[in-house]
Amino acid sequence: GSEQVVIGSTASFTVSAEGVHSIAYWAVDNAGNIEATKYGTVRIDKTAPSIDGYVLSGKLTLLASDARSGVAAIKYSLDGAAALTYTSPLTIPAGAHTYTYYSVDNAGNESIKETILVGATVSVTLSPTSVYASKSSVATIKLSVAAPVGGVTVMLASSNPAVTIAPSVKINAGATSINVPVQTGAV
């Protein structure tokens, strides 16, 4: 930016734009003597970090990233208990459980809290179970436990390219099932 002159023995100014800002400053006395230039850096981070979780081989792995100030911590909670600090993949206990997790960056920004349901089973039934060309059926997607806060997203697909079904559905918090239309194409 452009040079700014402030009269007096103290100076203040506001930097509010997100990013890394380099600042050069020096003093000039009443006789015109100029001190050596000094430098400072101001880092402003207003962007929350991101977080992802995935289950593989019975363990929950959490990954966070923050391009501005860096990740300070990853926090998680099992079945609504107090939040703990994540340090390594978590062994998932037997049965159905919910993990809630989020990350915090070095500027104190928190990511959105995510919830993952582990250990639950998903079943699919069709009614009617047999359909013919260009007819429809209804798939009932059922969880073995109620969906946690935030709901559960279930990914759907058919091995038959003539069948049309939504790629995913969300079972709302507290619910155990949802009905989804299934349409067949021409034989």
Side-chain angles (χ1 to χ4, degrees):
S2 59
E3 180 180 308
Q4 298 177 27
V5 176
V6 178
I7 305 299
S9 60
T10 61
S12 65
F13 55 92
T14 301
V15 178
S16 59
E18 186 170 49
V20 178
H21 306 278
S22 297
I23 299 170
Y25 59 97
W26 61 92
V28 179
D29 66 15
N30 289 331
N33 299 309
I34 303 172
E35 79 168 317
T37 303
K38 296 177 182 153
Y39 300 92
T41 302
V42 175
R43 300 175 196 281
I44 300 176
D45 179 358
K46 299 178 182 180
T47 302
S50 63
I51 190 161
D52 258 329
Y54 64 91
V55 175
L56 184 64
S57 300
K59 293 188 179 281
L60 173 63
T61 300
L62 302 176
L63 301 170
S65 64
D66 184 84
R68 299 272 186 213
S69 62
V71 175
I74 297 174
K75 300 288 189 172
Y76 73 95
S77 170
L78 174 61
D79 296 329
L84 301 171
T85 301
Y86 174 86
T87 56
S88 62
L90 305 167
T91 299
I92 298 170
H97 299 279
T98 57
Y99 282 93
T100 301
Y101 52 90
Y102 63 98
S103 59
V104 181
D105 68 17
N106 287 306
N109 300 310
E110 285 187 8
S111 69
I112 294 172
K113 289 184 179 175
E114 302 284 346
T115 300
I116 187 170
L117 176 63
V118 295
T121 57
V122 178
S123 63
V124 179
T125 58
L126 292 169
S127 179
T129 56
S130 296
V131 291
Y132 301 97
S134 301
K135 300 296 180 188
S136 64
S137 181
V138 174
T140 300
I141 314 300
K142 186 171 183 175
L143 293 175
S144 60
V145 295
V149 173
V152 171
T153 299
V154 178
M155 306 305 290
L156 304 171
S158 172
S159 59
N160 186 332
V163 173
T164 303
I165 190 166
S168 67
V169 292
K170 184 173 184 176
I171 299 176
N172 292 326
T176 57
S177 66
I178 189 168
N179 292 328
V180 182
V182 179
Q183 182 68 43
T184 62
V187 173

